[in-house]
DNA sequence: GGTTATGAACGAACAATGTTCGTAATGACG
DNA sequence: CGTCATTACGAACATTGTTCGTTCATAACC
């Protein structure tokens, strides 16, 4: 009996001291927060974050949008729930002062892969306050790794913030580039969407489609040489970064001088 | 006569070689892309990005939303226009190999301040592809600074990407924290929005309201000590970072090992 | 100068979104 | 068995982006 949804949301940010465990589970298939969260994640996973509407999750649960509001405060609350679920699945290593770099990098990579598995979901991560318990749990884990490594707490706190922001921004950019893509230049409206198998989402490595990269590279090379000399010359470098090289580079950059 | 809006948008990403200068200016006050962009920026500046709707800018121009579509492809196009205008106002220094760090940091700070002057506008920056000419211009400027400093082009390209992403994420977080804020805990719905002068936007230094920081700090200190030991202990460090200390820290982190 | 054609302005409307309201069903409890 | 609180749900409302058809002004042309 989830009581008031608002109360439930508050508890997710600052737990109420008296939290009795869930009682017996009912027999049928009643609407519950877990089922709603699962359905929402399924919508995002099979389509993308833009397709996550109250109606889409309601339809997946064979009901109407109004039924959700008995368990969920609003759409923002649903966003928090799915982000919390995502963060909850991250495995946090027990701090090892000797391997703190790879431990932090690993947590970041986990978060990145979770975000990429649900295209565009980082938008929800940006929109929510950082006091959700599940999000705080991973921050706690990273903080533990850094402070046991002997890093100044202030530095550690700011570094965690920076890393968290970067992971969100990186995955968001990849998801957006994978979907919308380029303006399909050339003549108007001739959208010869021929190639099958191009699902419009990043593959496992977060690589944006090869043809998209080539398209950007072509545009860079076509820029006027007087105002964009470096962009022209280093178009290859600017458009490179397949796989997660760019990601690893930046995380390494941030961890390089932390000690 | 702006021809086709779609053509105009394409030109902003890859200029058409034949671009005749604007002819005589009409006498009255015809709707034009500049006026629409100005109105859009005014809406965002006086309210926030959420208030930027086709109808709001149309109302500011004393017309209806349909009239805008003769000059603007769609809302995404309008987003591109305002981001382009913002980037266009940045002043790019002539590269000085001896002062490359402060030059890069300065450009980032300029971008940050522009974003913060228009709360939430970084959402639009994230949603657009990075081939807009005005955006490319600042990337070109930063690339020039880094390569003249003798930094490997590949490293420079990735660093610029990381910096750009971080600035957007940082400003977006600040704008969101300044607006929505916390769930106004305690009892339901008693929103005693008493304090006047709290406009709900970050002040000049991007400081999120002091009472908000205290609120977060209070929550951190109230966390269970067994599962959140570090968050509790270092709550002060986690919530610190007034002004732009956090921002300067992260940018410095990224620039530290670039050479 | 009169006619015509081209593009902009605009009102109305449509589809989709988040959300709320009133009501019916459903199950717990005395 | 009756009462009542909670959940489920259909219908509706307000707000978004966007399009359609029409009107209108201005420029081009003979």
């Amino acid at each position: 009996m989830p009581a008031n949804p608002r109360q439930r949301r508050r508890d997710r940010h600052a737990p109420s001291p008296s939290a009795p465990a869930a009682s017996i589970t009912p027999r049928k298939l009643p609407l519950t927060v877990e089922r709603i969260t699962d359905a929402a994640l399924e919508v995002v996973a099979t389509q993308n974050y833009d397709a996550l509407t109250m109606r889409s999750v309601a339809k997946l649960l064979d009901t109407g949008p109004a039924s959700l509001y008995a368990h969920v405060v609003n759409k923002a609350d649903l966003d928090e729930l799915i982000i919390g679920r995502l963060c909850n699945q991250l495995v946090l290593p027990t701090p090892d002062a000797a391997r703190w770099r790879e431990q932090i990098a690993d947590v970041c990579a986990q978060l990145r892969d979770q975000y990429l598995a649900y295209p565009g979901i980082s938008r929800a991560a940006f929109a929510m306050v950082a006091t959700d318990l599940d999000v705080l749990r991973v921050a706690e884990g990273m903080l533990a790794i850094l402070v046991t490594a002997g890093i100044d707490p202030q530095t550690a706190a700011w570094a965690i913030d920076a890393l968290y922001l970067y992971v969100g921004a990186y995955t968001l950019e990849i998801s957006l580039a994978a979907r919308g893509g380029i303006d399909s230049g050339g003549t108007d409206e001739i959208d010869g969407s021929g190639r099958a198998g191009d699902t419009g989402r990043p593959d496992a490595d977060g690589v944006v489609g090869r043809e998209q990269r080539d398209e950007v590279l072509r545009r860079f090379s076509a820029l006027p040489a007087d105002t964009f000399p470096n962009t022209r010359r280093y178009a290859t470098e600017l458009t490179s970064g397949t796989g997660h090289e760019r990601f690893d580079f930046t995380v390494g950059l941030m961890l390089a001088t932390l000690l």
Side-chain angles (χ1 to χ4, degrees), chain A:
Chain A
M1 31 193 85
N4 194 336
R6 313 192 87 95
Q7 178 62 40
R8 211 213 62 255
R9 180 188 206 172
R10 263 197 307 278
D11 288 353
R12 223 168 48 243
H13 290 248
S16 69
S18 68
S23 57
I24 50 171
T25 66
R27 62 221 94 176
K28 274 293 287 304
L29 270 195
L31 225 43
T32 176
V33 187
E34 277 71 28
R35 287 191 61 210
I36 293 179
T37 309
D38 289 339
L41 278 176
E42 184 177 334
V43 169
V44 181
T46 56
Q47 308 185 249
N48 57 61
Y49 181 72
D50 285 325
L52 178 65
T53 76
M54 290 292 169
R55 285 173 171 81
S56 66
V57 313
K59 174 163 290 184
L60 207 62
L61 296 170
D62 269 319
T63 179
S67 306
L68 307 178
Y69 284 84
H71 309 264
V72 160
V73 178
N74 49 25
K75 173 83 176 357
D77 189 27
L78 184 55
D79 289 344
E80 285 191 19
L81 281 168
I82 59 181
I83 294 296
R85 175 74 65 89
L86 244 60
C87 291
N88 201 26
Q89 293 177 8
L90 299 189
V91 303
L92 300 174
T94 63
D96 180 354
R99 301 172 36 235
W100 66 273
R101 273 181 222 270
E102 55 178 305
Q103 287 189 327
I104 287 285
D106 173 66
V107 174
C108 290
Q110 283 187 59
L111 187 59
R112 172 202 61 187
D113 292 337
Q114 285 281 355
Y115 281 169
L116 287 182
Y118 302 90
I121 208 176
S122 13
R123 288 228 309 268
F126 273 123
M128 66 187 283
V129 280
T131 59
D132 182 281
L133 281 188
D134 294 302
V135 180
L136 242 50
R137 172 182 154 270
V138 20
E140 166 76 23
M142 299 180 76
L143 191 53
I145 296 176
L146 291 185
V147 296
T148 56
I151 294 174
D152 166 51
Q154 183 63 87
T155 304
W158 286 350
I160 290 173
D161 178 75
L163 285 169
Y164 185 74
L165 284 182
Y166 175 74
V167 175
Y170 173 81
T171 55
L172 181 54
E173 188 194 45
I174 283 193
S175 300
L176 290 176
R179 185 171 47 74
I182 320 282
D183 184 18
S184 74
T187 62
D188 265 7
E189 299 296 349
I190 303 184
D191 170 47
S193 67
R195 291 176 317 288
D198 186 351
T199 63
R201 51 195 330 220
D203 53 34
D205 282 348
V207 179
V208 301
R210 207 188 108 83
E211 58 278 354
Q212 287 199 23
R213 208 195 78 139
D214 290 345
E215 166 72 10
V216 174
L217 196 143
R218 191 185 62 73
R219 292 200 176 185
F220 282 2
S221 304
L223 287 172
D226 52 343
T227 49
F228 293 94
N230 297 283
T231 306
R232 261 178 71 105
R233 185 170 335 164
Y234 304 115
T236 315
E237 285 83 355
L238 282 170
T239 59
S240 102
T242 76
H244 289 311
E245 293 170 339
R246 259 171 53 214
F247 183 85
D248 296 335
F249 168 83
T250 306
V251 172
L253 215 58
M254 287 176 162
L255 300 183
T257 58
L258 267 197
L259 145 131

